[in-house]
């Protein structure tokens, strides 16, 4: 998800939907976790914007565990060059910034707040606040006790992007893999006192319409929509 023109939340294959000119201005990436579908585009992004005479490096923000995985298994000189050492260790193109649950990072006019969520690996969700309101992204998660109090504390929650990976007949698999299904999401949404636009994402390919219908049926009083490539959200 591209925030304004300079920040990404996650860096998966969706990077391929952006124009090359869109990539050139990105200088901040907030990762929810280290699974491949959330980091697959990161090496290509760094490669695209690499410039030995750069003014602003690319900074990746994530939990310590996520950054360690990216460093050890991706930018390790074998899978991909270690851009944290290029063009030099003293002035690298790629920098890492640990972002732990409860941290707030301010970039320009936006505050990014990190929320602990419950996935199969250490993960984060984020809220993004500007003068117009709050935009929230769950990242990959299943039923949890941490996201909802944070959302309820937001004064002006406009948009919630939340994953629902499996239909209800795969609830056991969803729970084991650390994901929502419509039934578990609808139960958690009962704890949300705000009334934002809710955009669901992360759906198993070929199951999108089924999942959307199940979520809509289970939460008829909510404004539920399906996030798709090219969608523009304004806060």
């Amino acid at each position: 998800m591209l925030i304004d023109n300079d920040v990404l939340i996650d860096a998966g294959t969706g990077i391929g939907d952006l124009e090359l000119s869109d990539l050139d201005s990105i200088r901040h990436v907030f990762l929810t976790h280290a699974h491949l579908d959330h980091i697959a585009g990161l090496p290509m992004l760094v490669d695209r914007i690499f410039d030995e005479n750069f003014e602003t490096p690319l900074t990746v923000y994530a939990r310590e565990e996520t950054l360690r995985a990216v460093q050890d298994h991706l930018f390790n000189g074998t899978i991909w060059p270690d851009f944290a050492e290029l063009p030099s260790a003293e002035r690298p193109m790629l920098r890492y910034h640990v972002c732990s649950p409860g941290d707030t990072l301010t970039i320009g006019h936006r505050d990014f707040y990190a929320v602990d969520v419950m996935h199969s690996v250490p993960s984060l969700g984020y809220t993004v606040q500007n003068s117009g309101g709050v935009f929230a992204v769950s990242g990959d998660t299943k039923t949890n006790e941490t996201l909802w109090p944070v959302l309820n504390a937001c004064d002006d929650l406009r948009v919630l992007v939340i994953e629902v990976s499996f239909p209800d007949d795969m609830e056991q698999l969803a729970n084991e893999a650390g994901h929502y299904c419509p039934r578990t999401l609808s139960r958690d949404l009962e704890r949300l006192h705000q009334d934002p636009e809710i955009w669901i994402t992360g759906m198993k390919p070929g199951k999108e319409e089924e999942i959307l219908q199940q979520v809509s049926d289970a939460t008829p009083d909510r404004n539920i929509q399906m996030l798709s490539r090219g969608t523009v959200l304004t806060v």
Side-chain angles (χ1 to χ4, degrees):
M1 283 168 279
L2 179 63
I3 309 296
D4 298 326
N5 68 340
D6 61 333
V7 179
L8 281 180
I9 296 182
D10 281 333
T13 55
I15 283 180
D17 295 330
L18 298 173
E19 300 293 335
L20 291 178
S21 58
D22 294 328
L23 301 180
D24 293 339
S25 60
I26 296 170
R27 287 297 181 273
H28 307 275
V29 178
F30 286 82
L31 296 178
T32 59
H33 62 291
H35 280 159
L36 188 61
D37 53 330
H38 295 257
I39 64 169
L42 188 57
M44 302 305 176
L45 171 63
V46 183
D47 191 76
R48 164 67 188 180
I49 66 175
F50 179 76
D51 182 348
E52 292 189 8
N53 300 308
F54 67 92
E55 294 183 2
T56 306
L58 178 73
T59 302
V60 176
Y61 309 83
R63 297 181 74 129
E64 183 177 358
E65 302 94 328
T66 303
L67 295 182
R68 189 182 309 118
V70 168
Q71 292 171 286
D72 289 350
H73 303 297
L74 193 57
F75 294 104
N76 58 8
T78 300
I79 299 298
W80 207 248
D82 184 1
F83 282 95
E85 299 285 335
L86 297 172
S88 69
E90 296 73 28
R91 192 169 179 264
M93 184 71 204
L94 176 62
R95 298 179 184 273
Y96 300 104
H97 187 112
V98 174
C99 183
S100 301
D103 287 353
T104 298
L105 297 171
T106 300
I107 298 175
H109 61 286
R110 301 145 305 186
D111 291 334
F112 293 80
Y113 179 80
V115 186
D116 189 29
V117 292
M118 185 67 66
H119 190 37
S120 57
V121 296
S123 300
L124 292 174
Y126 295 100
T127 66
V128 185
Q129 182 166 13
N130 63 16
S131 59
V134 178
F135 163 82
V137 179
S138 72
D140 284 0
T141 185
K142 62 180 180 180
T143 293
N144 63 85
E145 302 298 327
T146 48
L147 177 63
W148 307 101
V150 171
L151 297 181
N152 286 330
C154 294
D155 290 336
D156 192 9
L157 180 64
R158 301 289 188 86
V159 175
L160 170 60
V161 175
I162 194 161
E163 70 97 352
V164 194
S165 291
F166 296 98
D168 281 337
D169 62 358
M170 302 175 73
E171 180 176 351
Q172 182 176 349
L173 175 59
N175 188 61
E176 292 173 354
H179 292 285
Y180 275 123
C181 70
R183 185 178 295 115
T184 54
L185 174 61
S186 65
R187 287 199 294 261
D188 273 11
L189 283 174
E190 294 177 2
R191 296 190 273 174
L192 180 62
H193 306 321
Q194 310 271 18
D195 189 27
E197 296 177 13
I198 298 175
W199 295 79
I200 59 174
T201 186
M203 292 164 282
K204 184 176 176 63
K207 298 289 187 178
E208 295 91 345
E209 294 299 331
E210 179 183 359
I211 292 170
L212 175 62
Q213 188 62 56
Q214 289 180 351
V215 174
S216 299
D217 289 346
T219 55
D221 297 329
R222 295 286 187 180
N223 181 7
I224 304 289
Q225 301 176 71
M226 180 170 62
L227 193 67
S228 58
R229 62 183 63 182
T231 300
V232 176
L233 306 175
T234 301
V235 176

